Amino acid sequence: MRTLLLKRLVQGPLTEPAPAPDAAALAELGAQVDRAARRRLGRSLSIREVDAGSCNGCELEIHALNNIVYDLERFGLRFVASPRHADVLLVTGPVTRNMREALERTYAATPDPKWVVAVGDCARDGGIFAPSPACVGGVSRVVPVDLHIAGCPPTPLALLSGLLALLEDASKNR
Amino acid sequence: MIVHRSDWEQAAARLQAGEASLVALWGEPGSAHMALLDQNEIHTLSIACDGGRYPSVGRLHPPAIRLERAMRDLHGLEPDGLPDTRQWLHHDEPYRFLPAEGESLHQIPVGPVHAGIIEPGHFRFTANGETVVRLEERLGYVHKGTEQLMAGAPLERAARLAGRVSGDSTVAYALAFAHAVEAASGVEPPPRAVWLRALMAELERLANHCGDIGAVCNDAAFVVLHAQFGWLREQVLRTAARCFGHRLMMDCVVPGGVRADLAAEGQHALRVLAALVRSRFPELVEVYDNTESLKDRTVGTGILTPALAAQFAAGGYVGRASGRAFDARRTPGYAPYGELEFDVPVVQAGDVNARVWIRVREVGQSVALIEQLLAALPTGSIYAEARPSAGEGLALVEGFRGDIFAWVRMRSDGHVERCHLRDPSWFQWPLLEAAIEGNIVADFPLCNKSFNCSYSGHDL
Ligand code: SF4
């Protein structure tokens, strides 16, 4: 009984025709990311997320990349638990004074070659928090940034296309 | 009400005796303010801080300690008799963790950068083998100086800031701020706006509850439910985007009303969503309830006693899973909930399972509320312009995590002079330290997720 139920549960949404208008774009984008990642790195791409002062809105959408609708892992993109395993640091938030050192240390712990993607309007220049003395400002004030993905917060689709742009750029400048 | 030292101290003594609950405690240069819940009503007291000093509330009532440490950091107010004078939101001085003495104890420092995609904070565990003897939290890493940014901000900018205190509760924060501003300036949002706000607030609750119930299952290594609940959450967010133009509904609630009206197409999408949750949710819950390996992890884990929940006036599912029947939609209550039917589920067990169950029950209530709201949505305008006027206002709004307190003082030019926003996590974080005691280290992620306190909301 339970096995049956579980099977149905597992099958239901996955076999359901995707209703969202962005489904086609999503599939196309994902395939491109995968090809670019392979060209560049010859394998999948490991991402380490660092919240350097976010309101948590950006984290919610980064999380959504992992749900079964977007299912990031099928494209070879994978979140890892340690910066030592990462190719890409995905950094959110206006960097707060209290997170500055932790961000620097995380960056230092990430092996080369590495890329930094600043996620969200706050990560660009501090956003609405920019004037605060408790904030350092955008991510590039603390570590070199390769790409910025705009949005407050960026949608999962914007995040995915951002990662694609990074890979395209990285392979061009190789 | 501006009071003398003796009245202030008497209020602290009443808190200590459990005769009233602490709702908020905040400061500004030269004065301190306290909000109490007494006989289901909120009262505020203010005290002039001569020479920057005032009598500590935390000296008698421990839930106030972290708030007073924060007031010291932010406004330089010195609470006489405060038992713990380490910095809290500011990190300029080296931090001394509490000492732990005993045989075969070891310490495990975790954070501020954690393994998952979560907010930063530091946890210092003292363990005896597998068992946690003490957890000490250190927070403040995402302190952004929001209160300082609020001071002098034009209304529109201040509302945007309020919606970014804790991104997962952006609707609830924007609503609390709007209520406070409306109370200060005497403006009444049109009925349709009031109902649309409630729709957004219930959608936000639904999205967070679905996502977090799944995340608790994930931390108990039951991935199937995580995937399924996550899928439901995504459906809620997509519906929100279709109805109101933003997946998290940021900046949709503003002082005076709402920004986006709900079209007929959106109403239909919401009905479809409600039906979807009604059909899918119960079978997932059934799986949760019938999976012994999952219940094995959640039942009896991370118990928060009703006495502590009451002492700290813990809001939300943390309080309601430990016998504290409080919901700001009921007490003090706000429109349109007086016209709607809903239950406030309460249980006594206080473990991870109880917190999950409260949220399961609340999903059902939110769906029912959404249906009621759609069935009787008033017509008319969605925004009422506020005339700039000086004044003060406060509000208590029930976010998915618990009650959010907002206080604002407006200037006559329509700018914000001061604003204080108190996250429910202030009274929940300390309880996580208590709930984990005696549990194994490996159960911490599960306990933590079942509380799901906000870092950003707390750190401000
Ligand atoms: S960009 Fe927006 S969602 Fe992201 S951290 Fe900043 S305020 Fe929050």
Side-chain angles (χ1 to χ4, degrees):
Chain A
M1 158 72 190
R2 213 189 94 204
T3 327
L4 260 182
L5 179 59
L6 279 178
K7 210 156 84 189
R8 195 158 59 80
L9 288 175
V10 175
Q11 282 170 352
L14 292 181
T15 51
E16 188 182 66
D22 54 22
L26 174 64
E28 193 187 311
L29 260 176
Q32 284 183 53
V33 171
D34 193 25
R35 271 199 304 278
R38 280 172 201 287
R39 206 160 57 229
R40 176 68 184 143
L41 297 159
R43 60 187 166 88
S44 59
L45 191 60
S46 297
I47 305 168
R48 169 67 244 208
E49 198 270 347
V50 183
D51 175 343
S54 152
C55 80
N56 197 29
C58 282
E59 275 60 36
L60 293 177
E61 293 298 56
I62 294 172
H63 256 295
L65 283 176
N66 281 327
N67 72 27
I68 54 174
V69 178
Y70 299 102
D71 188 20
L72 195 65
E73 282 211 25
R74 74 188 142 143
F75 306 126
L77 295 168
R78 190 164 67 98
F79 283 95
V80 292
S82 166
R84 296 187 202 284
H85 306 155
D87 308 302
V88 177
L89 291 183
L90 215 53
V91 188
T92 63
V95 182
T96 61
R97 281 179 55 193
N98 295 350
M99 273 306 287
R100 177 183 197 133
E101 186 191 338
L103 175 60
E104 285 166 348
R105 287 169 66 168
T106 306
Y107 181 79
T110 310
D112 285 321
K114 58 187 161 195
W115 291 270
V116 175
V117 179
V119 171
D121 292 349
C122 292
R124 183 210 300 270
D125 55 6
I128 194 164
F129 300 102
S132 170
C135 296
V136 180
V139 176
S140 62
R141 285 269 177 93
V142 181
V143 296
V145 170
D146 297 283
L147 177 80
H148 171 250
I149 302 176
C152 181
T155 60
L157 206 65
L159 288 166
L160 199 51
S161 46
L163 289 171
L164 170 69
L166 170 79
L167 285 159
E168 290 293 334
D169 186 61
S171 34
K172 248 187 271 146
N173 297 332
R174 209 175 175 182
Chain B
M1 187 171 51
I2 297 175
V3 299
H4 290 293
R5 252 184 113 88
S6 57
D7 296 323
W8 181 270
E9 282 171 332
Q10 200 191 341
R14 296 196 58 223
L15 288 171
Q16 180 189 27
E19 294 164 9
S21 307
L22 184 62
V23 174
L25 181 63
W26 71 103
E28 59 181 303
S31 56
H33 313 279
M34 160 167 36
L36 305 172
L37 185 73
D38 193 352
Q39 317 276 350
N40 288 342
E41 271 182 47
I42 296 178
H43 303 274
T44 56
L45 305 179
S46 301
I47 185 169
C49 304
D50 297 325
R53 311 189 79 88
Y54 72 97
S56 165
V57 179
R59 185 175 65 88
L60 299 176
H61 188 58
I65 293 176
R66 287 180 178 177
L67 289 158
E68 294 193 315
R69 289 168 68 185
M71 287 158 70
R72 258 178 109 234
D73 288 350
L74 298 182
H75 305 292
L77 298 177
E78 211 41 70
D80 285 326
L82 177 65
D84 184 346
T85 54
R86 293 174 296 171
Q87 286 190 321
W88 184 239
L89 296 183
H90 285 176
H91 288 189
D92 310 322
E93 300 165 0
Y95 202 72
R96 288 171 290 106
F97 285 93
L98 301 175
E101 278 173 28
E103 247 177 68
S104 38
L105 295 183
H106 64 283
Q107 287 207 333
I108 312 170
V110 179
V113 179
H114 297 153
I117 304 170
I118 54 170
E119 301 181 82
H122 184 91
F123 300 115
R124 184 66 57 106
F125 297 94
T126 303
N128 186 338
E130 280 287 286
T131 309
V132 179
V133 178
R134 177 198 280 152
L135 162 65
E136 188 181 356
E137 298 154 355
R138 186 190 182 196
L139 301 172
Y141 288 93
V142 284
H143 170 58
K144 293 182 272 293
T146 306
E147 261 186 36
Q148 291 89 322
L149 289 173
M150 282 277 190
L155 189 56
E156 200 248 279
R157 188 178 147 76
R160 285 169 54 82
L161 273 168
R164 283 159 181 78
V165 169
S166 183
D168 50 27
S169 305
T170 179
V171 173
Y173 265 98
L175 186 57
F177 179 75
H179 278 181
V181 171
E182 287 155 8
S185 52
V187 70
E188 284 245 356
R192 186 172 173 85
V194 172
W195 286 56
L196 288 176
R197 286 170 169 186
L199 261 179
M200 294 181 201
E202 296 310 320
L203 275 176
E204 181 172 270
R205 202 178 322 277
L206 197 56
N208 282 301
H209 281 357
C210 286
D212 288 349
I213 295 168
V216 168
C217 296
N218 195 40
D219 280 340
F222 202 74
V223 183
V224 177
L225 283 185
H226 179 226
Q228 296 295 325
F229 283 117
W231 181 80
L232 269 185
R233 174 184 160 86
E234 178 68 20
Q235 305 315 309
V236 179
L237 298 189
R238 288 182 171 199
T239 308
R242 206 180 310 162
C243 294
F244 302 108
H246 190 286
R247 283 163 58 91
L248 304 180
M249 297 169 283
M250 255 177 188
D251 305 323
C252 290
V253 174
V254 293
V258 295
R259 269 263 192 80
D261 203 353
L262 182 65
E265 192 259 342
Q267 296 188 30
H268 176 71
L270 283 170
R271 282 199 189 90
V272 171
L273 177 75
L276 177 79
V277 178
R278 273 200 191 280
S279 74
R280 287 294 178 92
F281 193 73
E283 57 185 13
L284 301 181
V285 172
E286 197 187 315
V287 175
Y288 172 83
D289 214 27
N290 292 327
T291 304
E292 288 313 315
S293 66
L294 190 52
K295 296 296 275 294
D296 199 40
R297 295 288 306 280
T298 60
V299 175
T301 305
I303 295 175
L304 170 66
T305 61
L308 268 180
Q311 186 193 6
F312 278 73
Y317 45 83
V318 171
R320 293 193 282 271
S322 293
R324 184 170 183 262
F326 180 83
D327 187 317
R329 291 174 295 178
R330 283 266 166 78
T331 313
Y334 48 92
Y337 290 99
E339 296 171 56
L340 303 167
E341 267 179 44
F342 64 105
D343 285 339
V344 177
V346 181
V347 295
Q348 305 289 327
D351 54 2
V352 171
N353 181 55
R355 287 185 283 278
V356 169
W357 264 105
I358 293 291
R359 301 185 78 170
V360 165
R361 297 269 320 275
E362 288 182 10
V363 164
Q365 296 305 311
S366 285
V367 172
L369 281 168
I370 289 170
E371 289 166 343
Q372 291 177 54
L373 287 159
L374 286 171
L377 198 62
T379 53
S381 67
I382 57 165
Y383 181 73
E385 186 87 43
R387 252 180 300 111
S389 62
E392 281 186 26
L394 57 82
L396 202 64
V397 159
E398 190 72 18
F400 85 92
R401 188 179 272 122
D403 49 293
I404 294 166
F405 174 85
W407 168 87
V408 70
R409 185 190 297 133
M410 300 297 296
R411 292 194 323 217
S412 56
D413 63 357
H415 287 220
V416 170
E417 184 178 321
R418 291 256 163 214
C419 175
H420 175 70
L421 299 163
R422 193 273 298 139
D423 196 85
S425 305
W426 279 100
F427 301 126
Q428 296 168 340
W429 273 121
L431 298 174
L432 176 63
E433 290 184 345
I436 190 65
E437 219 180 284
N439 287 253
I440 59 172
V441 178
D443 274 342
F444 178 70
L446 191 61
C447 290
N448 191 20
K449 196 69 219 179
S450 76
F451 272 71
N452 192 24
C453 300
S454 170
Y455 299 70
S456 183
H458 166 282
D459 293 352
L460 270 177

